[in-house]
Amino acid sequence: MEDLLAAPGEPAAKVRFVPHSGPFARGIHATVFAKSRAPLTGDDLDTLFRDFYAGAPLVRVASAPRLKETVGSATTVVGAATDGETVVAFAALDNLGKGAASGGVQWMNRLLGFPEETGLTVPTPAWL
């Protein structure tokens, strides 16, 4: 994560990654803390996230991602908050719905010229 966040030729970013454990049957919720290079407002951060993920049909930006919003789907819900100096990013996903198999289907769709979400947007079963 740290290497991917650093600009080429700059030192790696310092990131604190916290995966959450809880009474969930499936899914992953994580929190990532990082220092901002410049002061940010919550609105700035929200705009950055929405712009970055605008072309990602399987990612939804929310102010408070909840795991139950992702269960049974290949969708990841992300969000972030800031106090102006520290950025706290959140992500929730169903590791069975958004795992290696759906990632493979997503890449296959891209390689074959299909919309990347083809076959991955089935509605969540009512019993989950």
Side-chain angles (χ1 to χ4, degrees):
M1 250 188 270
E2 292 177 340
D3 288 342
L4 291 172
L5 288 171
E10 292 191 17
K14 295 203 185 296
V15 172
R16 301 298 173 255
F17 171 72
V18 183
H20 299 274
S21 178
F24 2 101
R26 56 198 274 185
I28 298 170
H29 192 287
T31 304
V32 179
F33 299 84
K35 290 284 184 192
S36 175
R37 289 186 180 162
L40 287 170
T41 67
D43 288 340
D44 294 336
L45 197 54
D46 186 63
T47 300
L48 286 170
F49 265 61
R50 290 186 188 283
D51 289 349
F52 185 81
Y53 290 109
L58 296 173
V59 178
R60 193 168 59 74
V61 178
S63 58
R66 297 181 307 167
L67 193 55
K68 71 180 184 176
E69 297 174 66
T70 68
V71 173
S73 77
T75 300
T76 300
V77 182
V78 299
T82 184
D83 64 2
E85 296 175 10
T86 301
V87 173
V88 183
F90 311 98
L93 62 96
D94 181 342
N95 56 321
L96 297 177
K98 182 63 176 177
S102 68
V105 170
Q106 191 173 356
W107 273 108
M108 179 192 70
N109 287 338
R110 286 179 177 176
L111 291 172
L112 297 176
F114 300 129
E116 68 183 81
E117 68 273 18
T118 300
L120 297 173
T121 55
V122 238
T124 303
W127 58 88
L128 293 178

